């Protein structure tokens, strides 16, 4: 899913100076979306938008399992208008129903402002004389170098992991793994190594008790959810971190009932420092591989109480302080795992991995659900009462995703490398219909962990440990 969940300080400041009128005018739509598409042909997709000058407009075609088929994007010079994308649909695109168009409007720092989804698009088989199967769309920002071929996850043998102690670890050709950092959550109360997102300003961070996440306007009053200093995450004294996301029935904003969540980072801002890329010095744990020292990062998670519609759990990496080219607006997000819930059947066992990067404007995401190949249940049952280990082996050349010792997906392009230094994050999140246009509103409908007159606990997860291994 193409959605950068942490705004940089510069982006937040830019939003703050927008006028109220420009905020209200933001919109994007596909007024005459092509509902039948022929594989191997070029298709015109008109997208209408209202925003600001220098915004970025993007359109994407997904198949029914949310695998991206094709895309295009453009920098727009006017604050409103229509842009018609000429989208090449590869000839090897699988024919069938259930494809989707998505149009997105970003600001010039690639922070998403608006999006729209058109479902029930039909793709028919390639016609004779159409594009060759190996024809691909060339984006303006696509690197000239020939990309490395991706490995078919099915071709990665199971022997590529070995049991060391109490955990499956990837096999190293030379050397061995050693623990670089770990949190076993053996204490009680609030964890010492994880910090709630309360802002990027060191002084505001110290004073804040909550911060709005997933803004839709210029102020925190428009937030879909709030990260809180305490109350929604704690160590239970049994060796686990408890995380929950709740509806506060007594408070609301223009989005509806207020949502408070566990949204934890392994880093925090501690002081102003003009030598740092965004002007603030951070402390905590940051991770980054070198050519000599690859990493394996994993978390052991129990997600059977992750049930609330439009909620999801994520274990992920993000750089706010260090980035490509020393520019924080080029921050990179890597999702080791996202487990998503909604009223649709395909969301019952759904989980996602992704490598989102700004450099070159690209992104790669793979969702596993009941319709995908392999199906989610072929890899892991995220609804059972067992703990499962989600990990990623990170070298300077590739990132391989693991679940319970089984490698199942590998990223080989645009790999974030030194000096990006990423924080780790453990988050429970909410945004109505963020993954599906009829995902449901867990604040007022569907299953919940518990409920009383004041609070509805939409979802809860237990984290047994987070570990970082490095090659010795």
């Amino acid at each position: 899913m193409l959605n950068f969940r942490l705004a940089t300080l510069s982006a937040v400041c830019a939003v703050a100076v927008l006028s109220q009128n420009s905020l209200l005018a933001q919109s994007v739509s596909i007024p005459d979306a092509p509902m039948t598409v022929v594989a191997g042909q070029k298709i015109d997709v008109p997208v209408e938008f209202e925003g600001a000058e220098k915004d970025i407009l993007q359109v994407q075609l997904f198949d029914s399992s949310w695998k991206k088929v094709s895309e295009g994007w453009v920098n727009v010079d006017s604050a409103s208008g229509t842009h018609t994308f000429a989208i090449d649909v590869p000839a090897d695109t699988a024919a069938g129903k259930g494809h989707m168009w998505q149009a997105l409007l970003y600001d010039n720092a690639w922070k998403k402002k608006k999006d729209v989804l058109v479902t029930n698009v039909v793709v028919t088989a390639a016609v004779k004389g159409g594009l060759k199967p190996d024809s691909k769309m060339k984006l303006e920002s696509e690197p000239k170098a020939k990309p490395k071929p991706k490995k078919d996850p099915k071709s990665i043998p199971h022997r590529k992991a070995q049991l060391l102690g109490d955990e499956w670890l990837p096999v190293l050709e030379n050397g061995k793994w050693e623990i670089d950092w770990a949190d076993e959550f053996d204490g009680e109360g609030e964890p010492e190594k994880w910090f709630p997102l309360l802002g990027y300003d060191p002084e505001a961070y110290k004073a804040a008790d909550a911060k709005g996440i997933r803004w839709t306007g210029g102020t925190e009053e428009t937030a879909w959810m709030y990260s809180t200093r305490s109350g929604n995450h704690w160590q239970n004294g049994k060796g686990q971190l408890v995380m929950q996301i709740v509806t506060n029935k007594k408070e609301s904003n223009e989005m509806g009932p207020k949502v408070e969540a566990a949204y934890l980072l392994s880093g925090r801002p501690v002081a102003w420092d003009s030598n740092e890329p965004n002007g603030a010095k951070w402390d905590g744990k940051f991770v980054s591989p070198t050519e000599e020292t690859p990493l394996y990062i994993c978390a052991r998670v129990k997600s059977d109480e992750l049930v609330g519609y439009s909620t999801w759990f994520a274990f992920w990496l993000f750089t706010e302080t260090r980035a490509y080219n020393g520019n924080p607006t080029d921050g990179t997000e890597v999702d080791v795992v996202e487990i998503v819930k909604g009223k649709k059947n395909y969301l019952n066992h759904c989980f996602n991995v992704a490598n989102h990067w700004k450099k070159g404007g690209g992104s790669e995401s793979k969702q596993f659900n009941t319709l995908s190949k392999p199906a989610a249940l072929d890899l892991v049952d995220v609804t059972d009462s067992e703990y499962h280990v989600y990990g990623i082996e990170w070298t300077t050349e590739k990132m391989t995703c693991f679940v319970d010792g089984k490698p199942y997906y590998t990223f080989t392009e645009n790999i974030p490398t030194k000096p990006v230094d990423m924080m780790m994050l453990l988050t429970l999140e909410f945004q109505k219909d963020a993954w599906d246009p009829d995902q449901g509103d867990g604040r007022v409908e569907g299953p919940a962990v518990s409920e009383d007159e004041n609070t509805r606990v939409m979802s809860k997860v237990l984290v047994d440990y987070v570990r970082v291994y490095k090659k010795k």
Side-chain angles (χ1 to χ4, degrees):
M1 175 179 178
L2 306 179
N3 193 343
F4 292 91
R5 293 168 289 189
L6 291 175
T8 62
L9 180 63
S10 59
V12 171
C13 292
V15 171
V17 302
L18 289 174
S19 69
Q20 184 65 26
N21 288 338
S22 65
L23 291 172
L24 293 175
Q26 296 170 2
S27 66
V28 64
S29 63
I30 312 176
D32 296 305
M35 300 305 293
T36 300
V37 177
V38 179
Q41 293 190 356
K42 191 184 296 290
I43 188 76
D44 289 338
V45 184
V47 178
E48 292 183 356
F49 64 93
E50 290 190 50
E53 291 185 7
K54 308 304 180 183
D55 276 350
I56 299 168
L57 195 63
Q58 182 182 44
V59 67
Q60 302 177 98
L61 178 63
F62 294 94
D63 66 16
S64 59
S65 63
W66 281 94
K67 179 180 179 182
K68 185 167 64 180
V69 173
S70 193
E71 70 172 340
W73 65 268
V74 66
N75 294 100
V76 295
D77 294 325
S78 60
S80 63
T82 300
H83 179 82
T84 299
F85 290 87
I87 300 297
D88 284 326
V89 182
D92 58 357
T93 302
K97 302 178 181 178
H99 288 66
M100 297 167 280
W101 290 111
Q102 184 181 36
L104 303 100
L105 182 68
Y106 302 90
D107 66 16
N108 59 14
W110 281 92
K111 178 185 176 184
K112 190 176 79 172
K113 299 164 73 171
K114 291 290 182 180
D115 68 335
V116 65
L117 191 69
V118 176
T119 60
N120 299 320
V121 178
V122 177
V123 173
T124 60
V127 297
K128 186 176 181 179
L131 295 179
K132 296 181 180 179
D134 61 351
S135 297
K136 299 292 181 182
M137 177 180 59
K138 298 290 185 182
L139 297 180
E140 303 148 334
S141 60
E142 191 173 52
K144 294 181 180 179
K146 185 177 180 180
K148 300 176 183 178
K150 289 186 174 63
K151 293 183 180 179
D152 182 347
K154 293 182 179 180
S155 70
I156 305 175
H158 192 97
R159 63 178 176 80
K160 289 296 288 183
Q162 60 183 344
L163 188 62
L164 298 178
D166 63 345
E167 184 166 40
W168 288 96
L169 298 175
V171 172
L172 287 170
E173 294 182 3
N174 299 298
K176 63 179 182 179
W177 294 109
E178 66 176 3
I179 287 283
D180 177 61
W181 182 95
D183 197 339
E184 306 293 329
F185 303 113
D186 289 332
E188 295 186 6
E190 295 180 22
E192 296 181 356
K193 298 180 180 180
W194 298 87
F195 314 100
L197 175 61
L198 299 173
Y200 311 106
D201 178 330
E203 303 305 321
Y205 178 89
K206 295 174 185 177
D209 289 321
K211 179 175 178 58
I213 306 291
R214 295 183 170 273
W215 293 10
T216 58
T219 69
E220 293 195 34
E221 283 67 36
T222 63
W224 279 103
M225 52 175 280
Y226 292 81
S227 171
T228 59
R229 183 177 292 276
S230 61
N232 293 305
H233 61 275
W234 64 91
Q235 296 175 120
N236 62 9
K238 301 177 182 178
Q240 290 88 35
L241 172 69
V242 182
M243 302 174 63
Q244 67 178 18
I245 184 165
V246 304
T247 303
N248 183 336
K249 296 182 178 181
K250 301 298 183 181
E251 295 186 35
S252 63
N253 62 19
E254 64 186 64
M255 299 301 171
K258 186 176 181 180
V259 173
E260 300 172 350
Y263 199 103
L264 303 177
L265 293 70
S266 66
R268 61 177 172 176
V270 292
W272 293 113
D273 187 340
S274 60
N275 294 319
E276 293 291 330
N278 65 355
K281 180 178 178 58
W282 287 55
D283 71 355
K285 179 62 179 177
F286 293 81
V287 291
S288 184
T290 66
E291 290 185 9
E292 299 77 20
T293 311
L295 301 176
Y296 176 67
I297 303 166
C298 60
R300 188 169 185 258
V301 180
K302 181 172 175 285
S303 57
D304 57 325
E305 291 188 295
L306 180 67
V307 295
Y309 292 165
S310 290
T311 67
W312 65 96
F313 165 79
F315 174 48
W316 51 295
L317 312 173
F318 187 87
T319 174
E320 174 60 30
T321 60
R322 302 156 178 84
Y324 288 128
N325 311 318
N327 182 357
T329 62
D330 283 344
T332 299
E333 171 189 335
V334 174
D335 296 301
V336 181
V337 67
E338 295 174 292
I339 305 174
V340 187
K341 291 300 168 182
K343 66 170 64 175
K344 297 289 186 68
N345 287 335
Y346 87 93
L347 291 169
N348 287 341
H349 299 91
C350 180
F351 69 99
N352 185 69
V353 295
N355 181 17
H356 302 308
W357 63 90
K358 291 294 184 64
K359 192 175 184 179
S363 185
E364 181 177 354
S365 179
K366 172 64 177 177
Q367 186 176 107
F368 297 89
N369 54 53
T370 53
L371 303 176
S372 64
K373 294 182 180 180
L377 283 170
D378 293 340
L379 299 168
V380 63
D381 185 354
V382 297
T383 68
D384 66 23
S385 59
E386 303 298 319
Y387 284 89
H388 298 283
V389 179
Y390 304 94
I392 193 163
E393 184 183 17
W394 181 11
T395 75
T396 55
E397 296 181 347
K398 64 180 180 179
M399 301 180 102
T400 299
C401 303
F402 287 78
V403 58
D404 293 338
K406 295 177 290 186
Y408 65 94
Y409 196 76
T410 297
F411 301 105
T412 58
E413 299 177 25
N414 294 276
I415 303 302
T417 58
K418 186 180 180 181
V420 294
D421 282 5
M422 290 186 175
M423 294 178 287
M424 295 174 287
L425 291 91
L426 292 166
T427 60
L428 275 174
E429 304 183 46
F430 171 84
Q431 182 176 337
K432 183 179 179 295
D433 299 339
W435 296 74
D436 187 280
D438 190 24
Q439 193 177 354
D441 190 340
R443 298 172 297 182
V444 295
E445 63 175 325
V449 177
S450 62
E451 187 170 11
D452 59 32
E453 62 180 4
N454 298 313
T455 302
R456 177 178 169 92
V457 180
M458 293 187 288
S459 287
K460 180 183 290 186
V461 299
L462 296 180
V463 182
D464 189 43
Y465 60 70
V466 175
R467 295 174 181 170
V468 179
Y469 294 83
K470 66 179 181 180
K471 178 183 176 182
K472 184 176 181 180

